[in-house]
Amino acid sequence: MQNFLQTLKKIRRTVRKILRPIKKTIGTVCTALLCIILVAVLSVTIIGSAFTVYIVNLMEGTSEVVLDNVSSNYTTYIYAQNEKNEWIPYDILTSEGEKRIWCNLEDIPQMVQDAFVYSEDERFYSHDGVDYQGILSALRDTLTGFKRGGSTITQQTVKNLTGDNEADRFAGIARKLRELYRAVQLEKKYTKDDILETYLNIVPLNNNIYGVQAAANYYYNKDCDELSLAEAVSIAAITRSPTNNDPIKHPDNNRKRFKIILDIMLDNGAISTVEYNEAMNEELNLIGSMSYAKTEDNQKIDSSQLSAYENFDDVSSYYVDSVINQCCDIFMDKYGITWEDAYEKLRSGGYEVYTCVDLDIQKKIEEKYLDYYTFSEDGNHEVPQSAFIVMDYSGRVLGVVGGIGEKEAPLCLNRATQSTRQPGSAIKPLASYSLAVDKDIITWSSRFLDVPLLIKDSSLENGYGGPWPRNYSTTGAYRTSWSKEFNFTYQCLQRSLNTTAAQIVELLTPSACFEQLYYKLHLDSLVLYRDGSTDVARSPMSVGALTDGVRLIDMAAAYQIFGNGGYYYEPTFISRIIDNTGEIVYNHRYTGEMVISEGSSYVMNRMMETVVSGSRGTARKAKLDGVELIAKTGTTQDWNDLWFMGCTPEYVTGLWIGHDTPTEIDTDNCYGSPDMWSNIFKDIAENEEIKTFKPSSQVVTREYCTVTGLVAGDNCSSKNIGYYKRTNIPGVCSGEHLGDDIPSGTTVIVTDGIDTDYYEELTHEHYNYRFEILS
C-alpha cells in the first residue's frame, strides 16, 4: 500500500513536470490573445469614436436643403403679339444658357410624373429618402459587373439643388454621406409631392434643358400637360444618361431606355396593356429648338419669322435689347439694386415680359438696315451709321433698329436709345414754335423778317456781337445766307429758317423753352448747368446746339404731341411684367400728360404738313401717296448729324444719321434724310388704314391776306388758307397795303442796347420798309 502511494506521488510529480511548461505556454497564449482582443476592442472603439465624431462634424457642417425658393431661378420669356393678336415667345433669357420653366405639380399629368418615378425610383412613395434595398441591389450589381444607380429621386433632388457632386475617393464618400443625410432630412420637412415637384422642374435633360416643361417645349413644341405617354417617357428616358440618351442625337439609346421604363410602368400597373402598345407604336415628332413657338392653331414659328437677323438666336435684336434694358431700369427702381443684379434677376427669375413690338414692322426695318442700298445709291458700305424708331401715339415703341448692317452681339450699342446727339433744326417745333403757338404769341400767318439777331456784348467796341444765326436751308442774299424777306410762320418752319427760331426763342425766353423741353417733354439729357455749360441759352433752344444732345427715342416721344392732340406719353417697349408666381410686378400706365392744347397741336400739325408738301419744304422728298405725312428735318453744324422726324396718322418715327465719333457727313456718299426715311418707311406708311389726321374743333380755317398776314378783307386781292386757334385769330386786313409801312404782325427781334441804326441799314439794304423793334 505504501508502495502504491509512493508510486502515485511519483506519477503526480511527473505529471506536474510535464504540465508546468504547457500551463505556462497556455497562459502566455491566453494573455497574448486577451491583449490582442483588448487592443482590437480599443482600436475599434477609437476608430468608431473618431468616425462618429467625423460623421457628427460632417452633418453639422452640412447645410440644410430648402425647396421654398427653388422656383425663383427659371427662364424668362419675352412675348410678342402676332397678326392674330396671339402672344407668342419672341425671345428667352436664361442664366448661363440654362433653359428652365417652372411648372406646378398639379399642371404635370400623372402619367408624366409616373414616367419619371418608375424610371428613377420605383419605391419613391415608400422610402424615407434613402432606398436601402436599392443601394444593396446597386452594390450587388456592381460586384457582378452591372453598373446601376442607387440614388432616389430625393437624393437626386439634393444633388441637383446643392451642386455637391464630388466623386473622387474619400471626397466622394463624404459627398454621398452628406447626400444621404440631407435626403432623410428633406423627407422630414417636405411632402413627397413637394420633392417630386422640385425634381421634375430641375432634372437636367441635356442641351442645357432643365425640367419637364422646358423639355416639352424644346423637344415637342408643347407644354408638358399636352405630352402623350410616349413623348413623356422619351423625355424621362434621357435622365439616366442625358448626353447618350438624347432622343434626337441618340434615338437608339433613348429607345432602349424607353422600353425599359414602359415595362416597369406596365409591371407596376401604372399603365394598361393598351396604353403600352400605343406608346410603343407611336411615331415621335421631335422638334429640338427653344426658338419654336406655337400659336392657337398650332402653327409653328421659328426665329426666321421673328427677325431679319440670321443670327437672331445668338444676338437677339435691338428691340429685345431695349426690352432688357427697360426691365433692368424697372427692377433697379423697384428693388433698389444695381444694373448687374437687375439683369441677373431678370435672366433667372422666370418672368413673363409682354412687349409692344409690332413684329411685321420690326422685321421690315431690320431688313432695310441690312440693305446698304437703303442708304446710298450704289450700296456703299462706307455710309455713316444710322438709327430708326417707330412708335404709336400712346408711347408704345413698335420697332427699333440701332445700327446699319448685321447685329454683332447682344446688348450692343443701340444708337436709337443710348446715343445722345445734337438735334439741329429738329428741335424747333418742340422748343419754340409749338410753345409760341400755345401761348398765342404767333399764328399761322404771323410775319417774320429773315434777318439775324444782334446780340448785346459789352466787351466789344460797338456793343454787340453778331449777327446770329446763319441759315443753312435757304438761298438768300449773297454771303449772308439771310434773304431779308418777310415770311409767314408756316413758311419759316417749312424752310427751317434759323433766324425765325431765334426770334421766337427771344420772345419766349430761353428759360421758358428749356422748361418746356426738360420738364414737360422729358428731354432729360439737356443740361441745366454743368461745369460752366448750360442749355438754358439762345443757341441750344433755337438751333439745337445742346451740350450733350438728345436721344432719338426721346425726340420721337416728344413729337407725339403733334399727332395726338398735344399729349406726351412715356415711351415704352413693355406693357407688363409677370413673375413666376403669376403676380404682376409692372404694368405700364398709358397716362398722357397734356403739353400743349389740342388746338395748338393741330395748328402745328398743319404747319409741319407744309414741310412735306410745300415747294420749298425741307422734307418734300419724303411725300407719301395717299397718306398724310408731317415732318421736320434737322442738320447740325458742320453737317455732323442728319435727322428726320416724321409723323403719319398712325405712327411717330425718328431717323438719325451720323458717325459714332462726330465728323462731317459726306452727303455725296449717301442719301439725305428724307430719301432715307422714304426708303425705310414708305411702304409701311402707305399701307396705313388711317390716311389723314383728325381735325380739331378748336381750330378754324380762314383766308388770310398774303401781304399783311391778317384775315383777308374784301379789298384784299391776294389770299390763302390758314389754320388758326379759335382763341387767336388775327384781325381783319383793311386792304390798304402801303409800301412804306411794315405789315402789321411782322416780328423783328433785337436785344436791348443795340445800335439800331446798324440794324436798319442791314435790313433796308434791299427794302424800304419802316418798322418797329421789339425787345
Side-chain angles (χ1 to χ4, degrees):
M1 186 64 178
Q2 189 172 0
N3 290 333
F4 175 76
L5 291 172
Q6 289 177 347
T7 301
L8 186 62
K9 287 180 180 180
K10 287 179 181 181
I11 292 171
R12 185 185 296 169
R13 283 196 296 270
T14 302
V15 169
R16 284 177 179 172
K17 288 180 181 179
I18 295 171
L19 291 176
R20 187 177 294 120
I22 293 174
K23 289 173 68 175
K24 186 176 181 180
T25 301
I26 291 173
T28 303
V29 171
C30 289
T31 302
L33 287 174
L34 181 62
C35 289
I36 290 171
I37 291 170
L38 290 174
V39 170
V41 170
L42 184 61
S43 298
V44 170
T45 302
I46 293 171
I47 292 171
S49 299
F51 184 72
T52 301
V53 171
Y54 172 76
I55 294 296
V56 170
N57 290 335
L58 181 67
M59 296 305 104
E60 287 181 351
T62 299
S63 59
E64 184 182 8
V65 177
V66 294
L67 308 181
D68 301 340
N69 298 317
V70 175
S71 63
S72 64
N73 187 24
Y74 282 84
T75 300
T76 289
Y77 266 73
I78 297 175
Y79 289 99
Q81 275 188 305
N82 62 14
E83 293 180 351
K84 298 178 181 179
N85 294 323
E86 300 166 338
W87 287 105
I88 61 173
Y90 183 31
D91 208 342
I92 60 173
L93 299 178
T94 63
S95 182
E96 304 302 329
E98 297 178 356
K99 304 170 183 68
R100 305 172 181 259
I101 308 169
W102 183 265
C103 190
N104 295 326
L105 189 64
E106 59 264 27
D107 297 323
I108 302 175
Q110 187 63 48
M111 60 93 174
V112 177
Q113 299 178 37
D114 290 343
F116 280 86
V117 168
Y118 289 111
S119 169
E120 297 300 302
D121 189 0
E122 290 180 59
R123 288 173 289 278
F124 172 68
Y125 289 103
S126 60
H127 62 63
D128 63 354
V130 179
D131 183 7
Y132 299 102
Q133 181 180 340
I135 292 174
L136 291 173
S137 298
L139 288 173
R140 180 196 65 210
D141 292 342
T142 301
L143 292 174
T144 58
F146 179 77
K147 186 176 181 181
R148 60 173 285 177
S151 295
T152 64
I153 281 177
T154 310
Q155 289 174 256
Q156 291 182 50
T157 301
V158 167
K159 182 179 178 180
N160 292 333
L161 284 177
T162 61
D164 193 357
N165 57 3
E166 290 284 352
D168 295 335
R169 296 181 181 179
F170 294 112
I173 295 172
R175 189 269 301 172
K176 198 66 178 179
L177 290 172
R178 286 194 299 270
E179 183 183 290
L180 294 172
Y181 172 77
R182 283 167 164 164
V184 172
Q185 298 304 311
L186 195 67
E187 291 265 358
K188 290 179 180 179
K189 186 173 181 179
Y190 296 97
T191 67
K192 290 288 186 180
D193 282 352
D194 292 334
I195 295 168
L196 182 60
E197 179 181 68
T198 301
Y199 171 77
L200 291 173
N201 279 285
I202 67 174
V203 58
L205 295 165
N206 206 27
N207 299 301
N208 273 335
I209 303 291
Y210 292 81
V212 294
Q213 177 68 3
N217 286 178
Y218 179 82
Y219 287 106
Y220 293 107
N221 191 29
K222 293 181 177 181
D223 291 328
C224 67
D225 62 358
E226 300 173 307
L227 293 172
S228 68
L229 173 61
E231 291 167 340
V233 173
S234 73
I235 293 174
I238 301 172
T239 57
R240 190 59 60 90
S241 180
T243 301
N244 295 325
N245 288 349
D246 185 286
I248 295 176
K249 298 176 182 177
H250 302 286
D252 292 340
N253 292 347
N254 184 270
R255 186 68 178 180
K256 291 176 183 177
R257 184 66 188 158
F258 175 95
K259 185 178 184 307
I260 292 172
I261 297 170
L262 276 179
D263 288 342
I264 297 173
M265 293 179 74
L266 180 62
D267 292 342
N268 284 273
I271 57 173
S272 67
T273 303
V274 173
E275 291 172 321
Y276 177 92
N277 291 331
E278 287 178 350
M280 287 296 296
N281 293 322
E282 182 177 330
E283 183 178 349
L284 300 177
N285 181 26
L286 291 154
I287 303 298
S289 174
M290 289 296 285
S291 66
Y292 276 81
K294 62 182 180 59
T295 62
E296 290 178 0
D297 58 2
N298 291 321
Q299 177 188 4
K300 294 180 177 63
I301 301 173
D302 61 34
S303 58
S304 67
Q305 295 172 270
L306 299 175
S307 174
Y309 298 127
E310 293 183 0
N311 57 350
F312 173 76
D313 289 338
D314 297 321
V315 303
S316 67
S317 68
Y318 287 104
Y319 199 101
V320 171
D321 288 358
S322 301
V323 169
I324 292 171
N325 282 313
Q326 186 178 347
C327 281
C328 290
D329 288 341
I330 291 169
F331 288 173
M332 288 168 65
D333 181 62
K334 185 177 181 69
Y335 302 111
I337 56 180
T338 64
W339 192 95
E340 289 75 15
D341 289 341
Y343 182 45
E344 182 55 33
K345 185 178 184 68
L346 176 66
R347 289 198 306 166
S348 61
Y351 293 94
E352 295 178 359
V353 182
Y354 294 87
T355 70
C356 304
V357 66
D358 183 309
L359 289 174
D360 182 55
I361 289 177
Q362 177 66 25
K363 186 177 179 182
K364 284 180 178 177
I365 60 177
E366 286 173 356
E367 289 171 347
K368 295 295 185 180
Y369 268 74
L370 289 172
D371 183 1
Y372 282 84
Y373 284 95
T374 301
F375 307 98
S376 67
E377 187 175 358
D378 58 358
N380 182 4
H381 281 52
E382 300 302 317
V383 295
Q385 264 299 344
S386 177
F388 193 88
I389 194 164
V390 53
M391 63 179 64
D392 66 14
Y393 285 100
S394 296
R396 286 183 285 254
V397 179
L398 306 177
V400 63
V401 173
I404 298 174
E406 288 285 353
K407 190 170 183 284
E408 297 179 355
L411 295 175
C412 61
L413 174 64
N414 186 337
R415 297 166 184 84
T417 61
Q418 296 173 318
S419 298
T420 55
R421 300 299 291 254
Q422 304 301 318
S425 295
I427 203 74
K428 293 173 183 175
L430 303 171
S432 53
Y433 282 84
S434 61
L435 185 58
V437 169
D438 199 53
K439 291 181 175 295
D440 290 343
I441 293 175
I442 62 175
T443 70
W444 174 276
S445 56
S446 295
R447 300 199 58 159
F448 291 87
L449 187 60
D450 180 18
V451 291
L453 299 182
L454 299 178
I455 309 301
K456 183 178 180 180
D457 188 344
S458 58
S459 65
L460 299 177
E461 181 179 352
N462 58 3
Y464 61 85
W468 177 89
R470 297 178 61 84
N471 291 319
Y472 290 90
S473 58
T474 183
T475 56
Y478 179 66
R479 294 180 182 173
T480 65
S481 86
W482 306 299
S483 67
K484 302 171 188 174
E485 299 172 348
F486 289 109
N487 297 277
F488 298 117
T489 304
Y490 78 90
Q491 293 173 321
C492 299
L493 184 63
Q494 180 186 126
R495 297 170 55 193
S496 196
L497 297 178
N498 290 340
T499 53
T500 304
Q503 292 174 28
I504 295 175
V505 169
E506 202 70 18
L507 282 172
L508 292 166
T509 73
S511 60
C513 298
F514 180 91
E515 289 176 5
Q516 178 82 345
L517 294 178
Y518 190 86
Y519 295 106
K520 291 189 175 181
L521 292 173
H522 304 279
L523 298 181
D524 56 12
S525 60
L526 270 61
V527 174
L528 178 61
Y529 181 82
R530 186 181 68 220
D531 299 330
S533 298
T534 180
D535 289 330
V536 188
R538 293 184 178 94
S539 183
M541 295 299 99
S542 300
V543 294
L546 303 173
T547 304
D548 292 335
V550 289
R551 290 176 287 270
L552 181 60
I553 186 175
D554 295 334
M555 287 289 285
Y559 264 75
Q560 292 176 98
I561 66 174
F562 302 126
N564 68 2
Y567 284 89
Y568 173 88
Y569 289 87
E570 180 185 4
T572 183
F573 297 87
I574 300 167
S575 60
R576 69 183 183 277
I577 304 172
I578 299 175
D579 68 14
N580 58 71
T581 68
E583 180 182 351
I584 297 176
V585 297
Y586 175 79
N587 204 8
H588 187 75
R589 296 181 60 189
Y590 296 98
T591 303
E593 173 189 357
M594 178 168 277
V595 176
I596 57 176
S597 70
E598 178 189 316
S600 301
S601 169
Y602 193 64
V603 169
M604 285 300 304
N605 180 289
R606 296 297 84 193
M607 286 188 189
M608 291 168 63
E609 192 278 332
T610 71
V611 177
V612 178
S613 64
S615 60
R616 301 181 74 176
T618 58
R620 59 189 180 276
K621 289 185 178 181
K623 188 173 182 179
L624 301 173
D625 294 330
V627 176
E628 282 191 331
L629 171 66
I630 66 172
K632 185 69 189 77
T633 59
T635 306
T636 60
Q637 189 174 12
D638 299 325
W639 294 85
N640 288 343
D641 303 271
L642 301 177
W643 293 71
F644 189 98
M645 306 303 301
C647 304
T648 64
E650 292 186 28
Y651 305 120
V652 185
T653 66
L655 166 67
W656 168 83
I657 306 129
H659 297 281
D660 287 332
T661 300
T663 51
E664 183 177 348
I665 298 170
D666 183 358
T667 53
D668 292 333
N669 245 0
C670 65
Y671 291 124
S673 62
D675 295 292
M676 283 192 195
W677 184 92
S678 183
N679 291 342
I680 296 166
F681 204 68
K682 182 177 181 179
D683 293 342
I684 298 172
E686 290 183 345
N687 285 323
E688 292 182 33
E689 294 182 4
I690 304 173
K691 305 298 183 183
T692 60
F693 288 95
K694 182 181 178 181
S696 169
S697 60
Q698 298 178 15
V699 174
V700 296
T701 57
R702 292 287 187 271
E703 287 187 328
Y704 65 91
C705 174
T706 58
V707 177
T708 65
L710 300 174
V711 172
D714 294 338
N715 295 326
C716 294
S717 58
S718 180
K719 307 173 184 179
N720 211 334
I721 298 292
Y723 294 81
Y724 302 91
K725 292 165 57 181
R726 292 184 183 275
T727 58
N728 191 25
I729 301 175
V732 178
C733 180
S734 65
E736 298 177 0
H737 310 137
L738 302 178
D740 59 348
D741 286 335
I742 186 170
S744 176
T746 298
T747 302
V748 179
I749 302 296
V750 182
T751 55
D752 291 334
I754 299 306
D755 184 345
T756 56
D757 291 338
Y758 174 86
Y759 198 88
E760 289 189 22
E761 178 184 348
L762 174 69
T763 57
H764 288 187
E765 182 176 341
H766 298 293
Y767 297 92
N768 188 26
Y769 286 132
R770 177 170 52 82
F771 61 94
E772 56 183 294
I773 297 173
L774 306 178
S775 297

